Amino acid sequence: MSIIIVGVGNADFAAMEFLDGDSRVLHSHTGEEAVRDIVQFVPFRNFRNVPKETLAKAVLAELPQQVVQYFKHQNLPPINSEPA
């Protein structure tokens, strides 16, 4: 599972930035380390005056790596397939 959060409005999104976990490993309330980063947070206000493709790129930026991390964690190698 990957969680994508887009913050809308002028609220304080510090808690969402914390969940994003880009700069540190998150821990549960019992101290257990998160196995991988599954959250991508993007504040919409940073993308108001740019092309919508820029927002899409930021929102989806971490998804490929999150998928790779999941498959590695599950010891699932890529399936060889024919090019499309």
Side-chain angles (χ1 to χ4, degrees), residues 3-77:
I3 301 169
I4 298 171
I5 304 168
V6 178
V8 178
N10 293 320
D12 177 8
F13 294 117
M16 297 299 113
E17 295 284 356
F18 176 80
L19 285 176
D20 197 348
D22 286 343
S23 59
R24 67 199 157 296
V25 175
L26 296 179
H27 293 82
S28 72
H29 69 281
T30 61
E32 184 179 3
E33 282 190 1
V35 174
R36 58 190 185 89
D37 176 19
I38 63 168
V39 176
Q40 170 68 346
F41 171 72
V42 177
F44 181 77
R45 65 178 166 240
N46 293 357
F47 296 88
R48 278 187 246 183
N49 300 316
V50 298
K52 61 185 174 191
E53 295 82 9
T54 306
L55 172 62
K57 184 177 179 180
V59 167
L60 299 173
E62 294 181 11
L63 193 56
Q65 186 59 34
Q66 290 174 359
V67 172
V68 169
Q69 288 174 350
Y70 171 79
F71 278 88
K72 284 183 178 180
H73 182 70
Q74 298 296 319
N75 293 320
L76 296 170

